[in-house]
């Protein structure tokens, strides 16, 4: 994670050369000598207190003035496996020897009486047996924390793990009374700068015995050969950065000790120890901790591999369940809705969205406007998701998976939605269309508990140039805004595997859809033949009833009583009415199967023809036709639309009371002002038929389009079966248009209709 | 006027309609005999002088119902109009269907006239009268040797 420009002062921390500070902690003495003549070149300024010889007197002298040649050999031989117990100036010390800058560096730490008799190996033995009894990573880490505290006596021992972005989390903790718990807290990556982490990898142990101790300088401060201070990377006594000491002091820590946990050579975490007061730990015990840490690392690697395998198996099981349940479900969207939880668990996301395309969308969205995404958990809105999918289609490359932890930086429209979508993991289902499964994560800032140092907030120090660690926390907090927890390779793998499984489900559902549509086509054909039967074959016997009642009346009517004649006439009339309804039903059902003959049509001609068809009714009712302007040319099926006009015009002529009676066919063209009622369904052209007639109460504005729905007695207003408007609406809808009415009682009526975009 | 004038072939599956037309024909001065068949196959047998109709004379006019069981009126019409030997016989579609597709389709297939079968009784009689007046009085039919009266 790279800091951005405004947080430049943080990088000062990264740049501080902490291995070249040129000083040591005061609880030991450091001597660096040349080989093979053993001439001392560098001495720590505190040498005289322990060795009884001033640094000036030691420099240029052979190191054998401090340690005799035999002891030196013993130290050289033993130091590879740990500190060597020696006597210096009559005091028991532990000696460590390593090479740096072409010099042999000897570090001597006096042993106190209490630690003189220690048996680090025996302690280690106890610790290892407790480690080996622990099962599972959390128990293992807890055992390690307890073991290290038992071994070192620190007040608080934490096992701290680095995340992929190098921020840390306290996974286990062992602490004594009177110490705050840090368990579960997250620490920003800048708390442990880059070069410190590099040093942790090279030199796994670091003790700061007293954060308030004064650093002991080395003499000379710079080596003549290199012109810079002795490299203390490998030195146990190395003094630490003032920034780090301040950090510790701010946390109320008096001494600290850390042991690196490495996994496959890379820094995995730390065992970090704090003590409220100054606290020294012997080199032997420190070394025991290192051995413990190595064992722990090995054990962790094994545990982690096991956990990864378990996680893979769990995800595979989730996917299997998901795919099975989706495959068995009635409809994919419904099945997904009831298993959204599994979907989220699969990649550890907080939200997910599916864009599956119109073919699978039971809601039947208009494909030109994109499908409504199915949303689960915390996600951006449907519109935002659609926009994201459109962007992904164009920008996210050709791969099948895409992921980012900073979506807002890549796709600015969602920059403000870090609350739900800072992280995106997308798998693409279709190389052509915007069909995706998308998983979302919120910004990490919201998901973890940051160690905002509740104990000792950073003090502002005006005019003080140096960086204050806790002061940097706010800046860092800014930096992680809009960033989600990273997607692991396992997350991406699970997403990609789900894509494969879903493809199978989609195929199965497509096959099911095809089967259903075949069945539907069959049942449509059956329905058609049924309505054909009803429409035609039932009409015949009804005609027969009419015929024979007519014959009977003709032939024998004279011999019947008037009452008998009336009854027979009524039988004929009922048969006639039933037959008329059947005919309309037949016609209405046939409209559904009509193949439209689309063409460029002169609507004026169509209206003229329709007016001619109903001319008798217009003349009889003395209805004037008003035609203020010529109608346009437009694409439609002229024959069917003529039927619509004829129906609307004849209705308009029919339902009028007093003179003057008139009807007006007309239209609104593109961009022309039109009343709100004409704009209910948007289309470039809206046609209408207007009349000043009796009008229709609002509660009937929809029901008049229902089959056989009549508002007036059968014989009023010239009769009518109530099928005309239903058929007209069906014809208009067949064109992709809509037919509706705007009217009020005694205010006349205006029937509007639109036409679709032509044949698809 | 010859005594053996060519008949009118009525293709009609509905007995009621057929009886009604025959009844009307008896009352009207219908100058030709009315021969009725019940379905499309029989109509073609009649026209092609096959089977039961081996001796059938060529009709002067065909009055053809559209919706019939088995072969439809449209099929009979198409076959008839596709045959140069029969094409000349006027075919009047006589159907209860007001569907636009039926009307347009019948003319497209070569129907000479489309009559809508009206309600039984007076309207039907009026239509029959009009048919008689036009086709047997005003119009000249093919194969007539004499001018109309």
């Amino acid at each position: 994670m790279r800091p951005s420009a405004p947080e430049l002062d943080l990088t000062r921390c990264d740049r501080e050369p902490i291995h070249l500070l040129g000083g040591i902690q005061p609880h030991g003495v450091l001597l660096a000598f040349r080989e093979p003549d053993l001439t001392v070149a560098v001495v720590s300024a505190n040498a005289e207190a322990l060795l009884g010889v001033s640094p000036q007197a030691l420099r240029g002298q052979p190191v054998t003035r401090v340690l005799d040649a035999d002891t030196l050999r013993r130290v050289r031989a033993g130091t590879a496996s740990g500190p060597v117990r020696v006597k210096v100036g009559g005091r028991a010390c532990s000696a460590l020897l390593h090479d740096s800058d072409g010099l042999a560096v000897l570090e001597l730490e006096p042993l106190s009486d209490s630690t003189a008799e220690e048996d680090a190996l025996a302690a280690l033995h106890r610790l290892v047996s407790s480690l080996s009894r622990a099962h599972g990573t959390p128990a293992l880490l807890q055992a390690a924390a307890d073991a290290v505290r038992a071994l070192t006596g620190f007040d608080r021992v934490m096992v701290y793990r680095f995340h992929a972005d190098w921020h840390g989390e306290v996974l286990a903790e062992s602490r004594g009374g009177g110490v705050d718990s840090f368990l579960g807290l997250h620490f920003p990556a800048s708390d442990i700068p880059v070069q410190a982490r590099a040093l942790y990898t090279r030199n796994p142990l670091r003790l700061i015995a007293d954060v308030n101790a004064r650093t002991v300088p080395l003499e000379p401060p710079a080596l003549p050969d290199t012109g810079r201070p002795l490299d203390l990377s490998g030195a146990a006594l190395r003094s630490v950065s003032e920034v780090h000491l301040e950090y510790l002091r701010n946390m109320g820590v008096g001494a600290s000790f850390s042991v690196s946990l490495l996994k496959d050579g890379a820094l995995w975490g730390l065992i970090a120890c704090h003590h409220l007061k100054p606290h020294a730990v012997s080199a032997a015990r420190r070394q025991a901790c290192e051995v413990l840490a190595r064992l722990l690392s090995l054990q962790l690697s094994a545990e982690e591999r096991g956990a990864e395998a378990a996680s893979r198996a769990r995800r595979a099981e989730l996917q299997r369940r998901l795919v099975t349940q989706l495959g068995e479900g009635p409809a994919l969207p419904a099945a997904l809705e009831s298993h959204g939880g599994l979907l989220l668990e699969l990649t550890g996301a907080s939200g997910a969205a599916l864009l599956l395309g119109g073919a699978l969308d039971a809601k039947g969205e208009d494909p030109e406007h994109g499908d409504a995404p199915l949303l689960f958990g915390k996600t951006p809105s449907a519109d935002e998701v659609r926009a994201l999918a459109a962007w992904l289609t164009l920008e996210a490359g050709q791969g099948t998976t895409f992921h980012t932890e900073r979506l807002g930086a890549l796709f600015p429209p969602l920059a403000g939605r870090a609350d739900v979508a800072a992280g995106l993991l997308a798998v693409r289902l279709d190389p052509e269309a915007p069909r995706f499964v998308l998983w979302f994560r919120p910004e990490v800032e919201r998901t973890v508990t940051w160690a905002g140092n509740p104990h000792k907030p950073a003090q502002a120090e005006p005019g003080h140039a140096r960086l204050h660690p806790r002061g940097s926390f706010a800046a860092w907090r800014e930096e992680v805004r809009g960033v989600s927890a990273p997607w692991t390779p396992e997350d991406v793998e699970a997403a990609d595997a789900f894509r494969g499984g879903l493809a199978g489900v989609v195929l199965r559902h497509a096959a099911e859809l095809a089967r259903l549509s075949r069945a539907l086509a069959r049942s449509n054909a059956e329905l058609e033949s049924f309505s054909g039967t009803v429409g035609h074959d039932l009409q015949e016997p009804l005609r027969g009833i009419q015929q024979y009642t007519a014959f009977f009346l003709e032939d024998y009517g004279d011999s019947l009583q008037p009452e008998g004649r009336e009854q027979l006439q009524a039988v004929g009339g009922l048969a006639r009415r039933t037959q008329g309804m059947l005919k309309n039903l037949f016609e209405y059902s046939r409209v559904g199967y009509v193949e439209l003959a689309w063409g460029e049509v002169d609507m004026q001609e169509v209206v003229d023809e329709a007016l001619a068809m109903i001319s008798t009714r217009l003349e009889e009712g003395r209805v004037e036709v008003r035609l203020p302007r010529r109608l346009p040319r437009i694409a439609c099926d002229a024959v069917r639309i003529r039927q619509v006009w004829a129906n609307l015009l004849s209705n308009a002529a029919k339902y009028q009371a007093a003179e003057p009676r008139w009807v007006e066919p007309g239209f609104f063209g593109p961009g022309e002002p039109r009343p709100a009622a004409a704009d209910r369904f948007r289309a470039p052209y809206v046609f209408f038929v207007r009349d000043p007639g009796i009008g229709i109460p609002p509660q009937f504005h929809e029901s008049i389009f229902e089959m056989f729905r009549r508002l007036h007695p059968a014989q009023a207003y010239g009769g009518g079966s109530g099928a005309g408007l239903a058929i007209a609406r069906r014809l208009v809808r067949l064109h992709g248009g809509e037919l509706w009415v705007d009217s009020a009682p005694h205010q006349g009526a205006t029937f509007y209709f639109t036409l679709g975009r032509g044949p698809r | 006027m010859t005594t053996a004038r060519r008949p009118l072939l009525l293709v009609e599956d509905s007995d009621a309609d057929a009886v009604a037309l025959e009844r009307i024909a008896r009352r009207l001065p219908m100058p030709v005999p009315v021969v009725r068949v019940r379905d499309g196959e029989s109509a073609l047998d009649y026209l092609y002088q096959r089977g039961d109709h081996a001796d059938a004379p060529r009709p002067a006019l065909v009055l053809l119902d559209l919706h019939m069981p088995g072969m439809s009126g449209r099929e009979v019409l198409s076959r008839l109009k596709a045959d140069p030997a029969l094409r000349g016989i006027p075919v009047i579609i006589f159907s209860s269907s007001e569907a636009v597709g039926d009307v347009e389709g019948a003319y497209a297939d070569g129907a000479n006239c489309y009559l809508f079968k009206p309600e039984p009784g007076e309207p039907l009689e009026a239509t029959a009268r009009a048919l008689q007046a036009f086709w047997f009085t005003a119009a000249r039919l093919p194969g007539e040797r004499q001018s109309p009266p």
Side-chain angles (χ1 to χ4, degrees):
Chain A
M1 190 175 293
R2 295 255 55 81
S4 51
E7 292 117 39
L8 265 180
D9 52 344
L10 265 183
T11 67
R12 280 179 35 182
C13 205
D14 277 354
R15 286 198 307 260
E16 191 178 16
I18 56 176
H19 58 301
L20 296 174
L21 294 178
I24 62 164
Q25 300 179 55
H27 63 272
V29 169
L30 182 142
L31 294 151
F33 54 94
R34 272 177 236 290
E35 293 193 277
D37 59 6
L38 307 181
T39 315
V40 173
V42 180
V43 188
S44 60
N46 62 346
E48 193 160 2
L50 179 68
L51 306 175
V53 189
S54 74
Q56 296 77 9
L58 270 170
R59 281 172 58 198
Q61 298 289 309
V63 74
T64 43
R65 272 200 64 181
V66 178
L67 278 184
D68 62 59
D70 275 353
T71 309
L72 197 59
R73 263 194 300 279
R74 197 159 56 78
V75 168
R76 191 181 293 287
T79 203
S81 54
V84 177
R85 196 183 172 97
V86 296
K87 266 225 156 46
V88 180
R91 287 186 66 179
C93 285
S94 71
L96 285 166
L97 190 64
H98 75 282
D99 294 330
S100 181
D101 282 335
L103 298 172
V105 180
L106 177 68
E107 294 175 272
L108 297 167
E109 288 176 58
L111 289 167
S112 67
D113 289 342
S114 62
T115 59
E117 301 306 319
E118 73 190 346
D119 185 353
L121 263 180
L124 188 60
H125 181 78
R126 285 198 305 278
L127 303 176
V128 169
S129 57
S130 77
L131 266 196
S132 62
R133 278 197 302 274
H135 292 291
T137 303
L140 195 62
L141 299 180
Q142 189 57 51
D146 290 337
V148 170
R149 194 157 80 91
L151 194 57
T152 60
F154 272 92
D155 291 331
R156 174 168 54 218
V157 177
M158 299 170 284
V159 183
Y160 183 93
R161 182 187 181 165
F162 293 109
H163 285 252
D165 63 354
W166 291 113
H167 92 264
E169 179 184 2
V170 179
L171 296 181
E173 182 181 63
S174 176
R175 66 195 160 96
V179 202
D180 298 311
S181 172
F182 283 6
L183 188 63
L185 293 187
H186 289 245
F187 292 81
S190 53
D191 273 11
I192 301 177
V194 177
Q195 81 285 28
R197 293 198 295 264
L199 211 51
Y200 284 159
T201 312
R202 264 153 65 202
N203 184 357
L205 295 173
R206 183 176 58 168
L207 171 70
I208 300 165
D210 180 357
V211 302
N212 291 308
R214 295 182 65 122
T215 296
V216 178
L218 299 182
E219 296 179 8
L223 293 174
D225 297 357
T226 61
R228 53 179 177 77
L230 178 65
D231 182 348
L232 295 176
S233 301
L237 290 171
R238 177 175 63 84
S239 74
V240 290
S241 152
E242 188 53 38
V243 177
H244 185 63
L245 293 174
E246 187 177 335
Y247 176 96
L248 293 172
R249 284 196 288 264
N250 283 348
M251 276 202 287
V253 169
S256 95
F257 172 53
S258 73
V259 190
S260 307
L261 293 170
L262 302 170
K263 192 187 146 202
D264 303 327
L267 193 61
W268 181 93
L270 297 173
I271 298 173
C273 311
H274 289 162
H275 208 71
L276 298 181
K277 296 195 177 84
H279 187 65
V281 179
S282 75
R285 284 187 179 249
R286 296 201 309 264
Q287 204 215 2
C289 288
E290 187 187 343
V291 173
L292 185 79
R294 285 189 184 174
L295 286 171
L296 180 62
S297 293
L298 284 175
Q299 193 78 355
L300 279 175
S301 292
E303 289 278 343
E304 215 161 81
R305 272 191 289 276
E308 273 169 24
S311 154
R312 280 205 173 82
R314 191 178 56 84
R315 287 172 199 254
E317 169 61 12
L318 279 175
Q319 192 204 316
R320 190 195 61 72
R321 275 167 60 199
L322 203 49
V323 167
T324 308
Q325 275 155 356
L326 296 187
E328 286 167 355
L332 193 54
L336 278 169
E337 256 158 54
S338 50
H339 297 104
L342 291 181
L343 191 62
L344 299 184
E345 207 182 333
L346 193 65
T347 62
S350 316
L354 282 105
L355 296 105
L356 295 177
L360 296 166
D361 194 339
K363 293 180 191 114
E365 303 286 334
D366 183 349
E368 284 178 28
H369 294 97
D371 309 294
L374 302 168
L375 304 178
F376 309 97
K378 292 172 187 157
T379 66
S381 75
D383 284 343
E384 285 168 330
V385 168
R386 252 202 294 266
L388 174 64
W391 173 77
L392 277 170
T393 309
L394 295 173
E395 303 293 332
Q398 286 309 301
T400 53
T401 65
F402 170 86
H403 63 276
T404 174
E405 286 83 49
R406 293 171 175 268
L407 181 59
L410 296 173
F411 183 61
L414 286 185
R417 298 310 309 274
D419 57 328
V420 290
L424 168 71
L425 171 56
V427 298
R428 190 169 195 158
L429 303 172
D430 186 330
E432 308 292 331
R435 296 181 182 179
F436 293 94
V437 182
L438 308 174
W439 282 276
F440 299 101
R441 279 181 185 168
E443 60 183 350
V444 73
E445 232 258 309
R446 291 167 195 265
T447 50
V448 299
T449 316
W450 293 101
N453 188 15
H455 317 288
K456 279 196 179 173
Q459 298 295 312
E461 290 181 59
H464 203 293
R466 209 177 48 221
L467 194 65
H468 302 284
R470 272 301 160 198
S472 73
F473 183 78
W476 187 87
R477 205 179 161 91
E478 275 304 313
E479 192 191 334
V480 296
R481 288 268 156 79
V483 182
S484 80
W487 302 98
T488 66
E490 293 79 43
D491 295 332
V492 177
E493 205 174 279
D496 204 34
F498 178 64
R499 177 182 163 273
L502 193 60
V505 171
V506 165
L507 282 177
R508 271 204 298 287
H509 277 264
E512 177 67 6
L513 277 180
R515 193 188 65 73
L516 285 176
S517 100
R518 277 196 303 276
L520 190 62
R522 243 193 337 268
S523 70
N524 264 348
E526 278 160 14
L527 193 63
E528 187 168 16
S529 97
F530 172 74
S531 60
T533 303
V534 168
H536 181 264
D537 297 0
L538 289 190
Q539 281 191 63
E540 290 301 327
L542 287 165
R543 277 184 71 81
I545 293 170
Q546 293 173 68
Q547 302 278 22
Y548 291 115
T549 51
F551 297 161
F552 193 87
L553 280 169
E554 268 176 32
D555 297 347
Y556 311 106
D558 293 344
S559 55
L560 290 176
Q561 296 292 315
E563 200 181 337
R565 271 203 303 279
E566 276 170 26
Q567 285 172 356
L568 213 51
Q569 279 161 353
V571 170
L574 289 172
R576 186 162 54 247
R577 229 178 85 198
T578 311
Q579 192 206 344
M581 289 174 79
L582 278 177
K583 202 175 68 185
N584 284 320
L585 196 60
F586 182 48
E587 198 187 336
Y588 180 75
S589 79
R590 281 164 60 106
V591 171
Y593 312 116
V594 162
E595 274 290 320
L596 292 183
W598 284 89
E600 177 76 13
V601 168
D602 184 340
M603 201 57 117
Q604 185 62 50
E605 284 177 17
V606 173
V607 168
D608 288 343
E609 287 164 12
L611 287 168
M613 282 166 71
I614 60 159
S615 57
T616 315
R617 181 185 293 281
L618 294 173
E619 280 159 25
E620 282 171 359
R622 297 205 284 181
V623 179
E624 179 203 349
V625 176
R626 297 184 177 178
L627 248 170
R629 60 169 176 163
R630 201 184 153 76
L631 289 135
R633 294 181 67 81
I634 194 165
C636 68
D637 179 329
V639 173
R640 317 290 170 195
I641 294 304
R642 187 178 70 202
Q643 199 178 337
V644 172
W645 281 113
N647 186 282
L648 297 180
L649 286 164
S650 110
N651 267 354
K654 204 186 288 181
Y655 296 105
Q656 301 207 18
E659 295 194 57
R661 306 189 185 103
W662 53 266
V663 296
E664 181 193 331
F667 73 102
F668 296 106
E672 291 178 358
R674 50 184 83 171
D679 221 18
R680 195 177 307 161
F681 295 90
R682 292 182 170 273
Y685 285 96
V686 177
F687 297 94
F688 64 81
V689 172
R690 190 179 292 160
D691 69 67
I694 58 171
I696 305 157
Q699 67 266 34
F700 297 123
H701 283 188
E702 260 314 297
S703 56
I704 52 168
F705 294 103
E706 289 167 20
M707 194 67 185
F708 298 135
R709 179 72 183 223
R710 256 195 308 236
L711 304 185
H712 305 284
Q715 301 316 315
Y717 301 103
S721 66
L725 281 174
I727 290 171
R729 178 178 259 189
R730 210 162 178 184
L731 284 170
V732 163
R733 285 183 172 172
L734 209 58
H735 279 77
E738 190 49 81
L739 171 62
W740 70 100
V741 70
D742 178 39
S743 179
H746 316 299
Q747 306 288 310
T750 308
F751 283 83
Y752 294 99
F753 72 90
T754 61
L755 294 171
R757 278 168 295 224
R760 292 274 170 103
Chain B
M1 191 187 275
T2 59
T3 48
R5 291 203 67 177
R6 298 185 175 197
L8 181 152
L9 178 63
L10 173 65
V11 189
E12 174 60 78
D13 67 310
S14 158
D15 285 344
D17 280 337
V19 168
L21 281 175
E22 280 158 7
R23 200 180 154 94
I24 291 165
R26 277 202 302 274
R27 287 207 294 256
L28 293 173
M30 193 66 80
V32 298
V34 175
V35 177
R36 182 206 170 195
V37 294
R38 287 172 188 274
D39 55 40
E41 284 83 358
S42 305
L44 289 177
D45 283 352
Y46 189 95
L47 289 163
Y48 285 106
Q49 299 173 313
R50 298 182 301 216
D52 295 345
H53 304 288
D55 299 326
R58 186 179 163 122
L61 203 63
V62 177
L63 201 54
L64 179 63
D65 190 12
L66 269 190
H67 295 284
M68 294 181 291
M71 185 182 273
S72 75
R74 285 282 293 275
E75 284 174 78
V76 175
L77 176 65
S78 303
R79 292 279 284 278
L80 223 156
K81 293 297 177 185
D83 186 338
L86 298 173
R87 189 184 295 156
I89 305 172
V91 178
I92 299 163
I93 303 296
F94 194 59
S95 169
S96 54
S97 167
E98 282 181 289
V100 179
D102 281 341
V103 177
E104 315 257 324
Y107 281 111
D109 287 349
N112 299 75
C113 177
Y114 193 107
L115 279 183
F116 175 61
K117 224 185 255 183
E119 281 174 29
E122 196 51 45
L124 181 64
E125 196 159 331
T127 299
R129 204 185 303 278
L131 185 143
Q132 189 263 354
F134 179 78
W135 287 101
F136 295 105
T137 308
R140 189 175 174 103
L141 294 168
E144 283 179 6
R145 290 190 193 84
Q146 290 187 338
S147 50

